[in-house]
């Protein structure tokens, strides 16, 4: 009983003291809404929503083939690929517009240059994925750096290089091939940033996918990219790799963010510590510096109407808050993220095909809000400790001290439970008596007097 009470108190202290050794005081939130942010008709209103959430960073994936001249040609066009002015007229228009609109709202942009690539930039020139040329990629990143280097300070090199939708081959004769391919591309990206005058920018390695039958799982991918064997021993000398941080997409299953895959090489949200642990072991060999932090640069909870891998709408809001609490409490996690404002547009075909994209949005594809919309603004997680529920939450639009009203459901409806004060970045913690079937929600009034209310949240059982 004494130990349990001590753990409860520790969790509350953690929520209220982000500058302690147990949580990162500089953890940021980023947002990704690719279909809206590169659409002239929806960019401004979406950036306004993102800003109103209190988010000041967006991530933009920059697909190389979408910018390169004659991307479907096997023959390389004659042009200086490192010079942004050498690209066809209009090449940069949509990305220019994003930077302009984001800057006007004091929102920074993180760029992720990645494949698919122009066919002429691959080794065999047969497709737009296989063995991209590091030399050509260096020139492409140089052009990006020269165009946008004064307007961004965060880069991540390649999106999900351990997934065949972005880099091939993933394996040769059953052995991982993508780690070595990616290492060479990453080093080329670093050279490109150095050539464009962006050497001191924060540059992230990885952007790895969490799991999947066709991927190289994150842990063996890390080992291969750092020239280590299964026992984290050097198999060849590669030199220490500059890695300002490791980026990962910690998507989970419908089981939720506490799910722990039995395969120790996979990394979903419930086991994100596997990556820092692997990097620490690699650091002891000299392959990377010690203490490399983790950046969760793409994440979302799949919801209905996807009834195969999605969860009910109320559960989406609950799981997002649980995931954010996990990220906030981890001192090695430097960023959290939300992938999609709107769900992907349904496709034609069977139910599985119709919702085969991402239903991780805070809105349905037609624009209607899900409960997760208000839940993202006012995330609240309630952990069931038996006789007590321990609450963690934040006021995302107001990263300063403020007061929030916690309400609890009863047979007669909702009633006020208590008012609590947040810490200096809008985070709060509290403890209350657990009662079966009880739900919670948060109400907050902005300095302008506008009242916001989060969705109902059920306590979750800790594992």
């Amino acid at each position: 009983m004494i130990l349990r009470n001590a753990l409860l108190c520790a969790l509350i202290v953690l929520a209220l003291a982000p500058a302690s050794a147990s949580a990162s005081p500089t953890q940021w939130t980023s947002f990704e809404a690719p279909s809206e942010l590169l659409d002239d008709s929806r960019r401004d209103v979406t950036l306004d929503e993102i800003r109103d959430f209190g988010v000041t960073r967006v991530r933009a994936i920059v697909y190389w083939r979408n910018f390169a001249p004659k991307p479907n040609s096997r023959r390389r066009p004659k042009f200086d690929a490192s010079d942004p002015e050498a690209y066809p007229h209009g090449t940069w228009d949509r990305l220019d517009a994003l930077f302009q609109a984001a800057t006007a709202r004091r929102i920074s942009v993180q760029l992720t240059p990645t494949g698919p690539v122009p066919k002429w930039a691959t080794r065999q020139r047969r497709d737009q994925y296989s063995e991209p040329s590091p030399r050509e990629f260096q020139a492409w990143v140089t052009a990006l750096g020269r165009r946008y280097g004064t307007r961004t300070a965060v880069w991540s090199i390649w999106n999900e290089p351990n997934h065949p939708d972005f880099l091939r081959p993933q394996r040769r004769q059953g052995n991982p091939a993508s780690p070595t391919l990616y290492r060479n591309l990453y080093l080329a990206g670093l050279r490109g940033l150095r050539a464009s005058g962006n050497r001191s920018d924060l540059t992230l390695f990885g952007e790895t996918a969490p799991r999947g039958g066709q991927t190289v799982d994150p842990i063996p991918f890390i080992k291969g990219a750092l020239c280590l064997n299964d026992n984290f021993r050097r198999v060849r000398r590669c030199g220490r790799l500059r890695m300002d941080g490791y980026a990962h997409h910690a998507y989970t299953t419908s089981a939720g963010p506490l799910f722990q895959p039995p395969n120790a090489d996979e990394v979903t949200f419930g086991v994100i510590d596997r990556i820092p642990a692997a990097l620490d072991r690699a650091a002891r060999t000299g392959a990377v510096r010690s203490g490399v932090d983790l950046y969760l640069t793409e994440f979302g909870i799949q919801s209905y109407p996807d009834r195969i891998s999605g969860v009910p709408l109320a559960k989406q809001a609950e799981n997002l808050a649980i995931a954010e609490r996990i990220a906030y409490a981890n001192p090695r996690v430097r960023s959290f993220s939300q992938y999609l404002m709107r769900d992907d547009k349904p496709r034609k075909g069977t139910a599985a095909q119709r919702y085969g994209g991402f239903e991780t949005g805070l809105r349905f594809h037609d624009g209607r809000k899900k409960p997760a919309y208000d839940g993202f603004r006012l995330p609240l997680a309630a952990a069931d400790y038996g006789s007590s529920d321990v609450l963690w939450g934040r006021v995302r639009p107001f990263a300063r001290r403020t007061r929030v009203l916690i309400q609890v459901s009863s047979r007669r409806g909702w009633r006020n439970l208590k008012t609590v004060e947040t810490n200096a970045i809008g985070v709060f913690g509290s403890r209350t008596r657990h009662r079966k079937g009880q739900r919670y929600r948060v109400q907050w009034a902005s300095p302008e007097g506008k009242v916001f209310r989060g969705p109902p949240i059920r306590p979750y059982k800790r594992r």
Side-chain angles (χ1 to χ4, degrees):
M1 179 65 72
I2 294 174
L3 176 59
R4 185 175 67 183
N5 287 340
L7 290 173
L8 292 175
C9 292
L11 184 57
I12 295 172
V13 169
L14 171 61
L16 295 175
S20 70
S22 300
S24 172
T26 57
Q27 188 179 107
W28 72 64
T29 302
S30 64
F31 207 104
E32 192 168 350
S35 62
E36 292 96 335
L37 295 185
L38 294 178
D39 182 337
D40 291 342
S41 66
R42 293 193 289 172
R43 181 184 303 110
D44 288 341
V45 67
T46 303
L47 283 172
D48 287 342
E49 284 187 280
I50 291 171
R51 181 192 58 190
D52 289 345
F53 281 140
V55 175
T56 59
R57 187 182 302 272
V58 295
R59 173 174 175 256
I61 298 180
V62 188
Y63 298 106
W64 187 1
R65 72 176 176 191
N66 291 352
F67 291 78
K70 298 183 178 180
N72 297 316
S73 173
R74 291 171 56 91
R75 178 175 296 181
R76 186 191 187 281
K78 293 182 179 180
F79 78 117
D80 181 358
S82 66
D83 180 5
E85 300 301 324
Y87 287 73
H89 177 73
T91 294
W92 310 104
D93 286 357
R94 291 197 299 168
L95 204 52
D96 284 349
L98 171 58
F99 270 96
Q100 183 177 0
T103 301
R105 293 163 175 82
R106 298 184 179 179
I107 295 175
S108 60
V109 180
Q110 171 190 334
L111 291 182
T112 302
T114 185
V117 311
K119 187 178 291 186
W120 49 260
T122 62
R123 184 176 180 181
Q124 299 293 331
R125 304 188 181 190
R126 294 175 179 172
D127 60 31
Q128 297 181 319
Y129 308 90
S130 300
E131 299 183 86
S133 163
R135 180 175 60 84
E136 295 288 2
F137 184 63
Q138 176 181 334
W140 157 238
V141 174
T142 301
L144 276 176
R146 289 173 174 168
R147 183 85 179 184
Y148 301 110
T150 60
R151 290 179 273 179
T152 186
V154 181
W155 304 77
S156 49
I157 304 298
W158 220 267
N159 182 70
E160 297 191 353
N162 62 330
H163 195 291
D165 281 355
F166 299 96
L167 184 63
R168 300 174 192 168
Q170 286 293 310
R171 292 179 176 82
R172 288 194 179 96
Q173 298 180 342
N175 298 314
S178 57
T180 299
L181 292 175
Y182 175 64
R183 180 188 176 96
N184 291 332
L185 290 166
Y186 178 79
L187 289 171
L190 290 181
R191 291 192 295 270
L193 292 177
R194 184 169 62 245
S196 63
N198 297 283
R199 182 174 187 171
S200 61
D201 288 354
L202 180 70
T203 308
L204 305 180
F205 181 95
E207 293 280 7
T208 41
R211 63 201 295 261
Q214 294 182 309
T215 66
V216 174
D217 288 331
I219 302 305
F221 186 85
I222 291 172
K223 294 174 185 176
L226 297 180
C227 309
L228 305 173
N229 64 15
D230 288 342
N231 297 317
F232 284 90
R233 294 181 179 177
R234 292 286 190 106
V235 293
R236 64 182 187 276
R237 296 201 63 83
C238 294
R240 175 176 291 192
L241 186 71
R242 172 192 164 184
M243 190 186 298
D244 297 336
Y246 190 99
H248 183 62
H249 304 167
Y251 289 107
T252 185
T253 69
S254 59
L258 300 180
F259 167 73
Q260 297 185 0
N263 180 350
D265 288 334
E266 299 175 346
V267 184
T268 57
F269 218 104
V271 290
I272 54 175
D273 274 331
R274 288 178 179 177
I275 288 179
L279 294 173
D280 288 347
R281 292 189 66 181
R284 290 195 283 273
T285 73
V288 292
R289 66 173 177 84
S290 61
V292 174
D293 285 328
L294 181 61
Y295 292 75
L296 303 176
T297 52
E298 184 182 314
F299 179 72
I301 298 294
Q302 194 86 351
S303 78
Y304 290 178
D306 174 10
R307 293 181 178 268
I308 296 175
S309 57
V311 298
L313 299 179
K315 193 68 175 176
Q316 181 193 26
E318 293 168 350
N319 284 351
L320 270 176
I322 295 169
E324 186 164 3
R325 187 204 66 80
I326 293 171
Y328 175 84
N330 192 316
R332 295 292 289 275
V333 175
R334 298 296 302 277
S335 72
F336 182 72
S337 59
Q338 165 59 28
Y339 181 68
L340 292 191
M341 179 67 78
R342 296 189 185 206
D343 291 349
D344 287 339
K345 186 177 180 180
R347 305 167 181 174
K348 295 181 179 180
T350 64
Q353 294 169 332
R354 183 170 176 78
Y355 299 109
F358 280 85
E359 280 68 50
T360 56
L362 304 182
R363 293 178 179 269
F364 294 103
H365 78 278
D366 61 7
R368 290 175 295 130
K369 293 180 181 178
K370 302 180 185 178
Y373 188 95
D374 293 324
F376 183 74
R377 186 193 307 275
L378 295 173
L380 176 67
D384 177 359
Y385 277 83
S387 62
S388 298
D389 291 334
V390 174
L391 310 181
W392 176 94
R394 78 186 312 161
V395 180
R396 173 162 278 114
F398 199 76
R400 283 163 280 176
R401 293 191 183 278
T402 187
R403 296 173 70 84
V404 298
L405 174 64
I406 299 175
Q407 298 179 318
V408 63
S409 64
S410 67
R411 292 179 180 178
R412 297 181 180 179
W414 290 91
R415 64 178 176 85
N416 296 341
L417 178 65
K418 63 175 72 174
T419 298
V420 298
E421 185 173 345
T422 72
N423 63 16
I425 61 171
V427 174
F428 65 90
S430 185
R431 175 185 175 185
T432 188
R433 182 179 176 182
H434 175 81
R435 287 186 172 88
K436 186 177 180 181
Q438 197 163 255
R439 296 184 300 167
Y440 302 94
R441 69 184 183 190
V442 173
Q443 184 171 295
W444 173 71
S446 72
E448 295 77 25
K450 187 174 181 179
V451 176
F452 297 94
R453 184 179 292 141
I457 296 295
R458 296 165 298 180
Y460 67 94
K461 283 284 188 182
R462 289 179 55 84
R463 293 181 181 176

